[in-house]
Amino acid sequence: MTFQRELKEKWRVEYTEMGFPAVQKGWVLPVERWRDFDPFILMAEDWFKKGTFPDHPHRGFQTVTYVVDGRLEHIDNAGGREILEPGDVQYMNAGWSARHAEDGVEDDIAHTLQLWLNLPKDQKQSGTLYQNVYQEDAPVISFGGGSVKVFSGNIAGVTGPLDSIVPITLTEWTMGEGASYTMSLPENHNAFVYVLAGEAEIGVERQKMSKHEAGLLTFRENGEEDSTLTIRSKKRRTKVLVYSGKPIREEIVPHGPFVMNSMEEIMQAFEDFRNGKFGPPAV
């Protein structure tokens, strides 16, 4: 019998007002619970203006940034420079030595969700790379009253273009009132949902979630089959993001802009940055 995903727990995201040019921050996935979210480390929801995240380094993990509203300019020290708009997603493999800047554009307030995704120990020295997935490039599955946009993973035979080192599923569900959809996920993927707008019912038990609520789903870590997840919309405009990934189950040390396997490796990362081993600034 197919394993049906249910809501294991949910929580409302709390927000903190920040000093200019930052505006507001909330922790969708708090870093202190990374073992529960593995392979995900944290997810931050930020509202910010130009000048909040200037040139800075990263090592040992990946990011998946979803632009909710406003415009986000990405600049890296390998010559990359792009502007992402609402509904666009950027993937970064920091690997051993990423250095970049993330900024609002002109007077925009950029509203983003940035997910930190762990790298296995044997991949933490991998090369840095970036991939942009613009909303128009992500395939869409349409159904009565709504649609699912597939950024990453394979849903109903539709494969998203985002190609992360640690395979994940990332889908955006947009539904009208009364719409319902069921999709498959590998049952050994840890998964969570975040409601961006409206109100949804999760699973066959139809547990309610509303805007600014996140929820961890049940899963079978040793499973080898597919599971199903059903989401129903209870409002005229409901938008839900669903993320999933297979746990890595390695001890990590998240500290500042680095995620390594020991504090000694963290200290080495800071030393390497001070000694210029991350390359020139992003300009």
Side-chain angles (χ1 to χ4, degrees):
M1 185 175 179
T2 302
F3 176 54
Q4 296 174 325
R5 298 288 188 124
E6 301 293 348
L7 195 60
K8 182 179 179 180
E9 63 172 305
K10 69 175 182 178
W11 57 92
R12 180 164 294 279
V13 179
E14 302 294 334
Y15 298 97
T16 302
E17 292 187 5
M18 310 294 287
F20 182 83
V23 178
Q24 185 172 266
K25 177 183 285 290
W27 295 106
V28 179
L29 302 183
V31 67
E32 61 268 18
R33 291 193 56 190
W34 68 264
R35 289 180 180 83
D36 295 329
F37 307 136
D38 188 10
F40 310 116
I41 301 163
L42 62 82
M43 188 158 81
E45 183 170 12
D46 291 291
W47 288 258
F48 58 95
K49 301 197 76 172
K50 188 176 181 68
T52 304
F53 298 110
D55 171 64
H56 59 278
H58 289 300
R59 174 179 285 179
F61 66 103
Q62 307 154 91
T63 62
V64 181
T65 305
Y66 175 95
V67 181
V68 182
D69 201 7
R71 291 174 296 167
L72 175 70
E73 183 174 29
H74 162 260
I75 307 168
D76 64 64
N77 68 347
R81 191 175 194 130
E82 301 87 17
I83 292 178
L84 293 95
E85 298 184 348
D88 294 340
V89 170
Q90 184 185 70
Y91 166 75
M92 175 187 73
N93 178 50
W96 194 241
S97 57
R99 189 167 180 173
H100 72 161
E102 301 159 292
D103 248 330
V105 179
E106 297 176 347
D107 292 328
D108 284 16
I109 295 178
H111 176 193
T112 65
L113 289 163
Q114 186 169 96
L115 177 72
W116 287 24
L117 173 63
N118 194 22
L119 277 169
K121 185 174 183 177
D122 62 2
Q123 293 284 349
K124 289 188 182 292
Q125 294 192 37
S126 56
T128 302
L129 60 88
Y130 304 90
Q131 181 189 4
N132 295 322
V133 179
Y134 302 109
Q135 60 171 331
E136 63 269 21
D137 297 329
V140 174
I141 300 169
S142 297
F143 56 90
S147 63
V148 172
K149 187 173 294 182
V150 184
F151 288 102
S152 183
N154 185 289
I155 307 298
V158 175
T159 300
L162 192 155
D163 186 18
S164 57
I165 289 180
V166 174
I168 64 168
T169 296
L170 169 53
T171 54
E172 171 198 279
W173 302 44
T174 304
M175 298 179 286
E177 186 172 2
S180 174
Y181 187 72
T182 299
M183 81 170 187
S184 294
L185 289 171
E187 63 181 356
N188 62 0
H189 273 208
N190 205 0
F192 70 95
V193 299
Y194 184 55
V195 180
L196 275 174
E199 186 176 286
E201 292 179 338
I202 308 298
V204 296
E205 295 179 0
R206 302 179 75 146
Q207 297 184 65
K208 289 184 179 179
M209 293 183 67
S210 57
K211 183 178 179 179
H212 298 315
E213 286 189 328
L216 192 63
L217 302 177
T218 56
F219 82 113
R220 290 175 172 170
E221 184 161 358
N222 296 319
E224 298 179 352
E225 306 295 333
D226 280 341
S227 63
T228 60
L229 171 64
T230 300
I231 299 180
R232 299 170 180 82
S233 172
K234 299 298 292 180
K235 294 290 185 180
R236 183 164 59 93
R237 294 174 182 168
T238 295
K239 182 172 286 190
V240 181
L241 297 178
V242 179
Y243 298 80
S244 81
K246 187 177 179 181
I248 296 172
R249 297 306 186 216
E250 293 179 354
E251 285 296 312
I252 61 170
V253 179
H255 190 86
F258 308 125
V259 179
M260 301 303 291
N261 297 104
S262 68
M263 184 52 71
E264 290 76 14
E265 291 174 336
I266 293 289
M267 299 307 293
Q268 184 64 53
F270 278 107
E271 182 177 346
D272 288 348
F273 178 62
R274 288 192 297 268
N275 291 334
K277 294 184 178 180
F278 283 70
V283 294

